[in-house]
Amino acid sequence: MTSSFVRIEALREHVGRAASVRGWVTHLRSSGKVAFIVLRDGTGVLQSVIVKNNVAPDVWERFQQLTVETSIAVTGEVREDARSPGGVEMSATALEIIGTSPTDYPIQPKEHGVDFLLDNRHLWLRSRRQRAIARVRNEIEQAIHDFFYERGFLRVDTPILTAAIGERSGLFETEYFDEGTAFLAQTGQLYGEAAAAAFGKIYTFGPTFRAEKSKTRRHLTEFWMIEPEVAWNDSNDNMRLQEAFVSYLVERALERCAEELKELERDRSKLATVVPPFPRIAYTEAVEILHRKGSAITWGDDLGAEDEALLVEDHDRPIFIYNYPKEAKAFYMKENPEDPRTVLCDDCLAPEGYGEIIGGSQREDDYDKLVERIKTEGLPMDAYGWYLDLRKYGTFTHAGFGLGLERTVAWICGTPHIRECIAFPRLMNRLWP
Ligand code: 4AD
Ligand code: MG
């Protein structure tokens, strides 16, 4: 095997010279005298040309044995070629088969059912579309870290095995030695609040788990959430941070993932309008709008996916619905002093029917009110002792939010279902591969 090889992304630097490349065969074509191998190595795609009369007979012979997904090494002169994807082509002089691939490779260039594709997710990942989505996700993850780093936030990694409970939806449980039951974290927020009192501005970025029996295009049982928490921010500051954040992520994707978004046939003009400020609609006003649009929602209900779609259809950028009824939201949200039936919170809804990508709120900072909420929700007071301490020892105005990574990636990529936006999705009926 050649010991020095070049990644396809770096081939341009080798124009006019010989180089070796390793990768997987994606297409093969031959006229009998000239053969073409299209090779993928994850950093790019390269076409190699083999001219029968110019190569040793064993090279030509080996070409005949190639199948799609065979891993190979090709060596030859790198030539400039404006029509090629990476701007270069290779005139192959040597060809080595590293790993053969039987002709029953499951992913073929035809329509496959989604269950079949998910069963073969470990191979499906190699497809062009899946590679494009993964690259957009990667860029967005990097942009998230950059956004907070540039603004002086401290990243805090919060536990996944927890004793406290955060949100209302289903919990995954596991036995935990002599300590009883541990729950997989639904959110890092409560820990984020403790960290905000120590560090001022923090964010968490980690996997979160929800044992929800929902089979929708926007629910996973394991998803990644980014949760900033800021001391002294109120609900309005919180929304301003959200719109700056979301706009930053979209701008980054437009700037650095043009190729990928093109591959995904994403209408980029629908992303270019995503700039602050985002329209703000109070929940009560949203219910009136929904009634005018024919929805049967009653004041007090949480918004369903259809309601959300009706509300965003008039807008070319995400919108905030703020100050929901207390009953519809989690116990830790601060009571609205101007209308105690509601809490100081917001959901950020993405356009084009993608719906809620962020849930955020100002937190209840009054010790007694929080105790009251824990009681009425029937939550175990013991588990929240440490959380209440944050209101006992120097309580503080603070607010934060959680952005769902896969939902955000799905919207930016324009994919219909979020299961394509994580390498190995966990769904109600899917624990493998
Ligand atoms: O609205 P949620 O439940 O809010 C929280 O967890 C708060 N503790 C956040 C905070 O204030 N720090 O979830 C936040 C976001 C949602 O808006 C959605 O984007 C995503 O997490 N999300 C899911 N994504 C995929 N699959 C699921 N089952 C999701 N549940 C929530
Ligand atoms: Mg929510």
Side-chain angles (χ1 to χ4, degrees):
M1 196 186 291
T2 37
S3 56
S4 83
F5 71 98
V6 180
R7 304 262 177 202
I8 293 172
E9 65 186 352
L11 270 183
R12 268 187 161 283
E13 298 155 28
H14 295 259
V15 168
R17 283 179 285 144
S20 291
V21 172
R22 293 178 200 159
W24 292 261
V25 172
T26 65
H27 291 98
L28 294 163
R29 195 151 50 84
S30 169
S31 71
K33 284 183 184 149
V34 186
F36 299 89
I37 308 171
V38 179
L39 191 72
R40 173 195 85 237
D41 78 345
T43 73
V45 174
L46 172 70
Q47 175 163 279
S48 295
V49 187
I50 306 177
V51 179
K52 188 176 180 183
N53 291 338
N54 293 354
V55 296
D58 63 309
V59 171
W60 188 256
E61 177 49 36
R62 242 169 275 137
F63 170 80
Q64 310 297 323
Q65 297 166 24
L66 295 183
T67 56
V68 165
E69 294 305 320
T70 299
S71 52
I72 60 172
V74 267
T75 304
E77 191 185 306
V78 182
R79 285 187 285 107
E80 194 126 34
D81 185 300
R83 291 159 307 164
S84 294
V88 294
E89 210 180 57
M90 179 182 278
S91 305
T93 49
L95 169 65
E96 191 184 334
I97 293 177
I98 299 167
T100 58
S101 176
T103 51
D104 62 356
Y105 183 68
I107 314 288
Q108 297 289 334
K110 61 167 195 180
E111 287 284 314
H112 290 292
V114 72
D115 277 319
F116 178 86
L117 289 170
L118 286 170
D119 286 344
N120 289 287
R121 183 62 173 165
H122 52 297
L123 302 173
W124 185 26
L125 278 180
R126 301 180 186 187
S127 310
R128 280 162 69 140
R129 186 182 152 77
Q130 299 308 313
R131 273 151 44 215
I133 295 171
R135 285 200 172 269
V136 174
R137 177 181 169 120
N138 180 63
E139 188 61 45
I140 291 172
E141 288 193 10
Q142 188 59 48
I144 289 165
H145 291 304
D146 292 346
F147 178 87
F148 289 117
Y149 189 84
E150 285 165 9
R151 285 160 184 76
F153 283 62
L154 192 85
R155 178 177 175 185
V156 178
D157 300 316
T158 54
I160 288 164
L161 290 166
T162 67
I165 303 165
E167 302 302 320
R168 293 173 169 189
S169 36
L171 286 157
F172 285 110
E173 300 181 4
T174 181
E175 268 172 55
Y176 198 78
F177 308 106
D178 297 331
E179 298 296 307
T181 306
F183 304 100
L184 296 189
Q186 295 176 315
T187 168
Q189 177 197 324
L190 309 197
Y191 300 97
E193 289 183 52
F199 310 117
K201 298 181 280 186
I202 68 96
Y203 74 106
T204 71
F205 191 142
T208 46
F209 306 86
R210 308 247 169 130
E212 289 169 279
K213 290 197 170 155
S214 22
K215 276 192 187 166
T216 76
R217 59 189 189 85
R218 42 188 210 169
H219 286 90
L220 297 167
T221 54
E222 177 178 310
F223 64 96
W224 288 67
M225 187 156 47
I226 295 84
E227 298 183 270
E229 193 69 35
V230 187
W232 313 116
N233 264 11
D234 66 13
S235 192
N236 281 318
D237 300 325
N238 200 29
M239 285 188 267
R240 275 194 288 275
L241 183 62
Q242 288 165 52
E243 65 195 3
F245 182 44
V246 170
S247 307
Y248 182 95
L249 301 184
V250 169
E251 192 183 337
R252 253 302 262 280
L254 284 172
E255 220 176 79
R256 304 209 190 162
C257 297
E259 280 301 311
E260 287 79 9
L261 295 175
K262 221 160 95 193
E263 170 73 43
L264 296 166
E265 295 174 359
R266 182 66 169 106
D267 181 351
R268 281 169 289 169
S269 69
K270 294 230 163 72
L271 294 174
T273 51
V274 179
V275 285
F278 297 171
R280 288 155 167 71
I281 305 170
Y283 170 87
T284 302
E285 187 192 337
V287 169
E288 285 162 16
I289 296 172
L290 287 170
H291 284 163
R292 284 203 295 277
K293 286 178 182 261
S295 162
I297 190 171
T298 45
W299 197 99
D301 296 346
D302 205 352
L303 301 182
E306 279 168 32
D307 298 318
E308 291 182 354
L310 285 173
L311 289 169
V312 285
E313 71 185 1
D314 305 327
H315 301 278
D316 64 353
R317 67 196 70 192
I319 61 171
F320 292 117
I321 309 296
Y322 66 93
N323 296 2
Y324 283 67
K326 218 179 247 177
E327 298 73 42
K329 292 289 175 191
F331 75 96
Y332 50 70
M333 296 187 180
K334 186 174 176 57
E335 186 179 279
N336 178 4
E338 279 160 25
D339 179 1
R341 298 177 307 159
T342 63
V343 282
L344 298 175
C345 71
D346 71 87
D347 278 359
C348 179
L349 312 182
E352 301 172 73
Y354 281 90
E356 180 194 335
I357 51 169
I358 291 180
S361 63
Q362 188 173 329
R363 318 306 189 186
E364 185 55 79
D365 48 8
D366 182 281
Y367 187 96
D368 296 326
K369 284 207 161 106
L370 190 56
V371 167
E372 218 34 62
R373 283 301 300 277
I374 291 172
K375 276 190 197 150
T376 44
E377 295 273 324
L379 298 170
M381 196 64 72
D382 306 353
Y384 292 101
W386 68 266
Y387 186 64
L388 286 163
D389 272 356
L390 308 176
R391 281 71 182 168
K392 182 174 168 191
Y393 300 105
T395 195
F396 62 123
T397 302
H398 61 294
F401 61 88
L403 171 121
L405 181 62
E406 290 77 15
R407 287 194 191 174
T408 305
V409 174
W411 161 51
I412 291 177
C413 288
T415 63
H417 198 298
I418 66 171
R419 65 191 159 210
E420 281 182 89
C421 299
I422 184 165
F424 295 97
R426 292 294 170 254
L427 304 161
M428 235 183 96
N429 58 349
R430 186 164 292 281
L431 200 49
W432 57 273

